[in-house]
Amino acid sequence: MTTKIAALERALRTALGEGAVISTALGEVTVQVKAADYLKSMFILRDEPSLHFEQLLDLCGVDYSTYGEGTWDGLRFAATSHLLSVKHNWRVRVRVFAPDDEMPLVASVVPVWRSANWYEREAFDLYGILFDGHNDLRRILTDYGFIGHPFRKDFPVTGYVEMRYDPEQKRVIYQPVTIEPREIIPRVIREESYGLK
């Protein structure tokens, strides 16, 4: 008797061929495709009757630069999607790495699932991942004048600028960050008889 996950893996291997790396961990199937095959693979996942992933549940960016406590030596940026097949009652995760860390670019899947529109805008805004073919790729969570991408691992925790209301100008102004970085050292109790009474 074949398990549901084994049946899903077999259907994925048959439909996607050798170009996809399929793995299973903790009862979840992950498909990793190359950036050049990404859009074609997503159409196959949606249109192939044996798969029929009609819903895109989520798409997010990932920065792998500090993954594995700095032991990661692969590409830095990835777009990860979660798909659902209501017809077959199964889910799959699809990961694609952007081939260039300096200008991370992958194909947009908005032509496949319209729900990807805002997800791709969010990944662009927070990670700087560009989606080729997206017709409205602009910031969605940060201000239009925001500099940088705040979810990148190399983005400073304090940011670069801060906003405040200026009562003299009677408007909100931007200025360089005035927060002083500090180290917080936890208090350590050094009594020999602490807790023994």
Side-chain angles (χ1 to χ4, degrees):
M1 183 167 108
T2 307
T3 66
K4 191 172 188 175
I5 290 180
L8 173 58
E9 285 181 338
R10 188 172 54 253
L12 287 167
R13 288 185 205 288
T14 303
L16 297 174
E18 298 296 322
V21 177
I22 300 166
S23 60
T24 303
L26 303 172
E28 296 180 359
V29 179
T30 301
V31 176
Q32 185 170 317
V33 296
K34 295 177 183 169
D37 301 332
Y38 179 53
L39 186 60
K40 179 182 75 166
S41 298
M42 295 304 242
F43 272 115
I44 291 170
L45 290 170
R46 184 193 69 184
D47 297 336
E48 173 64 36
S50 64
L51 297 172
H52 202 262
F53 287 101
E54 66 264 42
Q55 288 187 14
L56 172 76
L57 299 177
D58 186 31
L59 185 149
C60 62
V62 182
D63 181 354
Y64 282 91
S65 62
T66 60
Y67 184 73
E69 297 180 11
T71 60
W72 179 258
D73 63 350
L75 296 168
R76 179 175 177 182
F77 295 104
T80 303
S81 305
H82 294 94
L83 308 177
L84 171 68
S85 172
V86 176
K87 179 179 179 182
H88 299 294
N89 191 24
W90 52 34
R91 296 170 185 250
V92 70
R93 176 186 304 118
V94 181
R95 182 183 306 122
V96 60
F97 281 93
D100 183 6
D101 290 344
E102 296 302 315
M103 190 177 91
L105 175 71
V106 295
S108 172
V109 293
V110 172
V112 187
W113 296 281
R114 287 177 38 193
S115 62
N117 184 359
W118 282 25
Y119 294 133
E120 290 180 354
R121 285 180 61 189
E122 180 183 53
F124 162 71
D125 190 4
L126 301 178
Y127 291 95
I129 299 171
L130 300 168
F131 292 90
D132 189 26
H134 194 289
N135 64 349
D136 189 21
L137 198 59
R138 58 191 163 101
R139 293 193 181 271
I140 193 169
L141 295 173
T142 60
D143 188 40
Y144 292 120
F146 191 86
I147 298 170
H149 303 284
F151 278 17
R152 286 187 174 192
K153 301 296 183 182
D154 54 2
F155 191 82
V157 175
T158 58
Y160 297 111
V161 295
E162 62 186 8
M163 315 185 325
R164 70 173 178 82
Y165 180 76
D166 187 349
E168 293 173 3
Q169 297 180 31
K170 296 187 178 183
R171 67 181 184 98
V172 174
I173 62 168
Y174 291 91
Q175 65 186 33
V177 175
T178 58
I179 299 171
E180 293 294 325
R182 62 183 179 144
E183 287 187 33
I184 298 175
I185 301 171
R187 181 177 172 204
V188 178
I189 299 172
R190 303 221 186 259
E191 295 178 16
E192 296 294 327
S193 61
Y194 181 78
L196 298 176
K197 294 181 184 179

